[in-house]
Amino acid sequence: QVQLANSGGGLVQVGGSLKLSCTAYGPTRSSFAMGWFRQAPGKEREFVAGITEGGGSTRYADSVKDRFRIFRDNAANTKHLQMNDLKPEDTAVYYCVLNNKGDYYFSDDTSNYWGQGTRVTVSS
């Protein structure tokens, strides 16, 4: 089984920044994808950002694409989500996800592994 540990989140003022990090532990395929979804109370879970294992391809929700950046550093199984210019509508619980088929659209739920979630609150 794959386990995901994420960190970051917290309370920030409008216009501020936060960085989320997620590390995958356990067996992974030769190629995989990671990303984040988020869910606010009374709202459906929505895609935020995704990245391939090597970082060669990324994708973003339209609502965040000019403000957020997903990237990796030296460790292939660790990804980061840099969130800038935060808005109240970014307030949600953010969930890291890994897809063991390398699908950064996360279409196949049977290949998705989810982190525990971290709360981001943007105050106005």
Side-chain angles (χ1 to χ4, degrees):
Q1 61 179 12
V2 176
Q3 294 184 329
L4 301 174
N6 61 351
S7 62
L11 175 65
V12 67
Q13 196 172 12
V14 169
S17 298
L18 287 171
K19 186 174 78 172
L20 307 182
S21 299
C22 183
T23 299
Y25 298 93
T28 57
R29 304 286 179 86
S30 59
S31 63
F32 59 91
M34 295 178 67
W36 273 267
F37 285 67
R38 68 187 182 187
Q39 187 169 27
K43 192 175 181 181
E44 295 292 321
R45 183 187 67 184
E46 63 177 351
F47 168 78
V48 177
I51 188 170
T52 55
E53 180 274 333
S57 298
T58 59
R59 56 184 289 264
Y60 300 90
D62 288 341
S63 59
V64 308
K65 65 180 180 181
D66 293 324
R67 300 182 295 117
F68 292 9
R69 185 171 71 93
I70 187 169
F71 64 99
R72 58 163 285 183
D73 50 22
N74 291 331
N77 63 338
T78 299
K79 304 295 187 291
H80 310 277
L81 182 68
Q82 179 66 49
M83 305 184 293
N84 298 320
D85 191 24
L86 285 161
K87 303 175 180 180
E89 50 264 44
D90 295 318
T91 296
V93 176
Y94 285 70
Y95 297 91
C96 179
V97 60
L98 179 147
N99 183 276
N100 232 2
K101 293 184 177 180
D103 176 20
Y104 69 155
Y105 288 80
F106 308 100
S107 300
D108 183 2
D109 285 337
T110 65
S111 299
N112 289 337
Y113 299 84
W114 297 91
Q116 75 277 13
T118 187
R119 179 171 295 277
V120 171
T121 302
V122 184
S123 65
S124 60

